Structure formats: C-alpha cells, structure tokens
Amino acid sequence: MSGRIRSEAFKNKVMSAHEAAVLVEDGWNIGFSGFTGSGYPKAFPEALAAIIDAAHNRGEELRVGVWTGASTAPELDGALARTGGISYRAPYQSDPEMRSAINKGTSYYQDIHLSHMGPQVSQGFLGKLDVAVIEVTAITEDGDLIPSSSVGMNRTYLDYADKVILEVNEWQSEGLYGMHDIYYPIGALPPNRVALPIMNAGDRIGEKVLKVDPEKVIAVIVTDAPDRNTPFKLLDDDSRAIANNLLDFLGNEVKQGRLPKNLLPCSRAWATSPTRCCRAFSTARSRTSPPTRR
C-alpha cells in the first residue's frame, strides 16, 4: 500500500488502471487533470485506450468525451485519439494524433478559451460530467488531495463530476504541498461575479489542498511516472527570421512615436514556436539599441 494514501476511506478503493478503466461506459464525458504536459493521469488513459480498442475489435461502440485543463501528453491525448474513441474534445490540445482525428472528423472539437471552460462546465453547457480522473501527489489523513504539478480544471471537475478516479503519482514531489492556492468561494456566476481578493503578488486567498466527496471516489490508482517535460527545440533560421521581423516592426513603432523606447511590458504565448522566437528575439534585442535590427 502506498504511503501517499493516508486516509483509511481511500485505501480500500485502490485498484489497477485496467480495473478502473473497465468502469467507464459508452458515451461518458471524462474530465482529466493536466495542463501543458504537467499533472495529467499517466496510467488510466492508456488502460482505457486498450479497453476501447478491444471493444471496437468486438464490434462494440465505446466512445467518450475528453475534457482537460489544456494540452496533455501522448499518453493521454495520443493514446485515446488513436483508438477513434474520442467523440468530443475540449478545450485545448496540441497532440498530432488528436489533431488528425479532429481533422478527419472522427472527433468533434471545441477550442474553448481556457478561462471559459470552468464557467461552462459549472453551468452545464457541455452536458453531464460523468467522471473526473485527477492526478494528485498524495491523499491526506483527512481525505484532502495534495495537488500534483498542475491544477487547471481540477477543482471544477472534482466538484461537478458524478464519479471520481484518482491517480496518486509517487514520482511527484511531496514538496508540492503548500505550493498551490485553491480558491473555493468563487461566488456568483457572471455577470455578477466579483474580483478575486488578491491585492499583492504574495497574497494567498485559498487552500493548499483540493476537496473531494469520498463517496464519489470509485477508484484510486497508484503510479510512479514522470511528467512530459518536453525540451524546447534549438533556435533555427526561421525563428531568427521571425525575431528580426518583429524587431523591425517594433523599431518602426518607436520611430513613429507609437511605442516608447522601453517597448512597455511584452507578453508571449506558452508554446514551442513562440518560445523559440522569443529566445531569438531576446538574443537579437540584446545586441541592438534602439530596438532595430543590425
């Protein structure tokens, strides 16, 4: 028995990933943890993919809706997409297998803004959430869940799912306890929602743990597997060319008086291509003053 499962109420629910995946029924919507390759379930998705493949080989229908926090990893999106068993996918993904299934029309896809997913789930716009499959670092004596390396949609999925499956990943550091700030009193739905009471960068307004009704938990899976942690690719000529074009554009904006010389704060998307371009941009900018290309 894993020392990470400290609540007696959860210890008798430990089972294999296969045993947990067998519980899934055709047509279910599944809310997975995971955000850009961090904190996604490692064992359950591949076990479910094997069960879907077996069902399809018998001529049986078994397809599920897949909701996440953002992109995940090949062990989740890729494994399930290859089966043709994903009927619907939201809100964001970056897996080539999943992309292919969407483009072929095998899977419906809704590119919902990540900040809109929680309210839409809580208001029932996407239908019933049958089960949440959430990776955690540990389960405390009181039955609280110490979050893994991401939070994403976990609070909402745990609250609104009819059933819950937990993956306790022993690879994740127990030092993650205290890193998270889980805020529960969200309050009224839009347009009547008020601002979160965060006034300073160091403010904490929530809890260190996620809450779950133990009666909803139907399975606990113990894993020991790393996050995706995909390394960024090296700079290439295309990235440098894009960065130089951006420098030319910004330099002209300064010249025309539409931007100050310090360029104001700059923000970028979190993805491989923007990251590579921004690295090239930073390198090029450090060699130029004012911000124009040499």
Side-chain angles (χ1 to χ4, degrees):
M1 180 65 65
S2 171
R4 300 281 185 100
I5 305 170
R6 299 170 190 135
S7 168
E8 294 298 326
F10 290 85
K11 288 181 178 179
N12 63 355
K13 299 181 181 183
V14 174
M15 62 182 71
S16 70
H18 175 81
E19 291 170 322
V22 167
L23 302 174
V24 173
E25 299 178 13
D26 178 48
W28 275 16
N29 288 319
I30 305 176
F32 287 100
S33 63
F35 199 100
T36 60
S38 298
Y40 58 91
K42 310 297 191 297
F44 177 88
E46 292 186 320
L48 178 59
I51 289 170
I52 292 174
D53 273 336
H56 290 178
N57 290 336
R58 295 191 301 267
E60 299 172 5
E61 185 74 5
L62 181 51
R63 305 187 80 214
V64 296
V66 172
W67 309 353
T68 64
S71 58
T72 58
E75 301 98 303
L76 197 163
D77 271 313
L80 291 173
R82 283 192 293 273
T83 69
I86 297 180
S87 57
Y88 170 84
R89 178 70 171 86
Y92 172 74
Q93 70 81 34
S94 59
D95 184 85
E97 298 277 1
M98 187 71 253
R99 187 183 309 118
S100 176
I102 293 166
N103 290 335
K104 289 177 181 177
T106 304
S107 304
Y108 289 114
Y109 177 57
Q110 201 169 359
D111 192 10
I112 301 172
H113 193 284
L114 302 185
S115 67
H116 297 171
M117 189 68 179
Q120 292 195 21
V121 170
S122 64
Q123 294 175 69
F125 291 163
L126 304 182
K128 184 175 75 169
L129 179 57
D130 296 281
V131 62
V133 183
I134 308 297
E135 181 182 271
V136 298
T137 299
I139 303 172
T140 71
E141 292 83 351
D142 296 327
D144 294 330
L145 310 178
I146 298 177
S148 179
S149 50
S150 69
V151 173
M153 288 292 302
N154 294 0
R155 185 194 67 84
T156 301
Y157 291 162
L158 287 167
D159 283 352
Y160 288 93
D162 287 349
K163 303 174 181 65
V164 173
I165 295 172
L166 301 174
E167 279 200 14
V168 179
N169 188 353
E170 296 182 332
W171 179 85
Q172 300 284 8
S173 171
E174 291 199 75
L176 287 168
Y177 178 68
M179 293 289 291
H180 304 87
D181 192 18
I182 312 298
Y183 186 65
Y184 275 91
I186 294 295
L189 293 172
N192 301 312
R193 181 169 291 171
V194 298
L196 298 179
I198 296 176
M199 302 302 170
N200 299 288
D203 286 351
R204 297 183 66 89
I205 60 173
E207 303 185 37
K208 300 175 183 178
V209 294
L210 290 158
K211 303 290 186 179
V212 65
D213 178 357
E215 295 300 317
K216 296 201 303 183
V217 178
I218 60 173
V220 178
I221 304 163
V222 178
T223 65
D224 187 354
D227 280 332
R228 184 180 67 188
N229 296 325
T230 305
F232 290 117
K233 295 180 180 179
L234 297 175
L235 297 180
D236 56 19
D237 290 340
D238 288 342
S239 299
R240 293 186 180 90
I242 293 171
N244 283 327
N245 288 338
L246 180 58
L247 280 170
D248 285 344
F249 168 77
L250 294 174
N252 185 61
E253 291 297 292
V254 171
K255 183 178 180 180
Q256 299 300 323
R258 292 188 287 261
L259 280 177
K261 288 186 177 181
N262 66 1
L263 298 182
L264 300 176
C266 294
S267 179
R268 63 167 172 82
W270 182 253
T272 300
S273 294
T275 299
R276 289 160 65 191
C277 292
C278 284
R279 286 168 60 195
F281 169 75
S282 298
T283 300
R285 186 181 176 190
S286 67
R287 298 171 182 170
T288 60
S289 181
T292 54
R293 181 174 47 149
R294 283 182 181 173

